[in-house]
Amino acid sequence: GNYIPLKLALAKSLNNIAAYLIDDVEPENVIKQAQRLGIDTALLEPNYTLALGTSSLSIWDLIGAYTSFVNAGRHIKPYYINRIEDKNGQIIYRAKPNVTIAMNADDAFKMVMMLREGVKSGTSISLNSSKYGIMNNNNQLGGKTGTTNNSADGWYFGISNQIVCGVWVGGDDKNIHFPPTNVNGQGARMAMPIFGNFLK
């Protein structure tokens, strides 16, 4: 049969390849890995539709998961407040990062390389354009677009050599969505430009 590198399948969001992959590794193992990446797995059903992103996950959990890739497999639980100082500048609270091992460093590096392919040749390729001017300074950009059914939600998770950024565009009511034939309802059109402009 015909073969395609996994990094290219991820870059081009080829769902049929994701379906083949989950059939090989089994949904239960996907859920176990998601839990190691800090994702609330209570919302995940152990079925093959996991490969298509059918479960409702929070941007909070997903940003935490992506940090595991860029931190050599170490998951750092996200937190809102880094420190609190009193009126004299004395630190009265400092967050203590909760770090666990989510995956081995080699696998994390492979994920980063696959995410970079999305910017190089996949659904994130427009980040290469002069419109943003962010491909210089060794930024090492990567990322993944996402679009839910009925174009109700657009997602983009981007990485660089300095930050992880997650963007969600949508409404709390799933009845709010673009018409299915409108390309502006895709994550690459409504979420990714926010990431590009933020980095710019």
Side-chain angles (χ1 to χ4, degrees):
N2 295 326
Y3 292 90
I4 184 170
L6 192 54
K7 68 178 183 177
L8 197 56
L10 183 72
K12 296 190 178 295
S13 294
L14 301 179
N15 287 339
N16 58 329
I17 304 301
Y20 281 118
L21 187 60
I22 199 169
D23 187 42
D24 191 43
V25 300
E26 299 180 356
E28 293 80 9
N29 290 321
V30 171
I31 290 175
K32 287 177 187 175
Q33 181 60 55
Q35 190 168 34
R36 287 191 290 271
L37 291 167
I39 291 172
D40 180 3
T41 56
L43 299 172
L44 301 182
E45 295 288 333
N47 57 47
Y48 292 93
T49 63
L50 281 173
L52 307 178
T54 55
S55 301
S56 295
L57 298 176
S58 73
I59 194 169
W60 179 261
D61 281 357
L62 288 168
I63 286 174
Y66 274 72
T67 63
S68 304
F69 306 144
V70 297
N71 285 311
R74 292 170 296 157
H75 173 70
I76 302 171
K77 186 175 181 180
Y79 51 91
Y80 286 110
I81 299 172
N82 185 35
R83 71 178 184 272
I84 300 172
E85 298 177 2
D86 66 14
K87 64 181 182 179
N88 299 314
Q90 298 296 313
I91 296 173
I92 56 176
Y93 168 81
R94 184 183 296 277
K96 295 177 182 173
N98 181 356
V99 181
T100 57
I101 302 300
M103 61 197 323
N104 69 55
D106 287 344
D107 289 341
F109 180 74
K110 290 173 189 172
M111 281 301 305
V112 169
M113 291 297 101
M114 286 194 287
L115 290 168
R116 287 184 189 165
E117 188 68 28
V119 174
K120 182 180 174 186
S121 66
T123 58
S124 310
I125 196 167
S126 67
L127 289 175
N128 278 309
S129 72
S130 58
K131 174 182 178 182
Y132 299 108
I134 55 177
M135 292 305 293
N136 53 1
N137 300 325
N138 195 29
N139 282 330
Q140 302 174 21
L141 297 183
K144 182 70 184 82
T145 57
T147 308
T148 58
N149 291 341
N150 297 323
S151 299
D153 301 278
W155 297 84
Y156 190 72
F157 287 89
I159 61 169
S160 78
N161 58 345
Q162 294 181 319
I163 66 164
V164 172
C165 178
V167 179
W168 167 67
V169 179
D172 289 335
D173 185 339
K174 294 296 180 189
N175 291 318
I176 301 169
H177 60 83
F178 280 89
T181 56
N182 190 327
V183 295
N184 290 320
Q186 298 171 357
R189 292 288 187 99
M190 60 176 169
M192 191 185 67
I194 296 172
F195 172 78
N197 284 310
F198 169 65
L199 258 64
K200 182 179 179 181

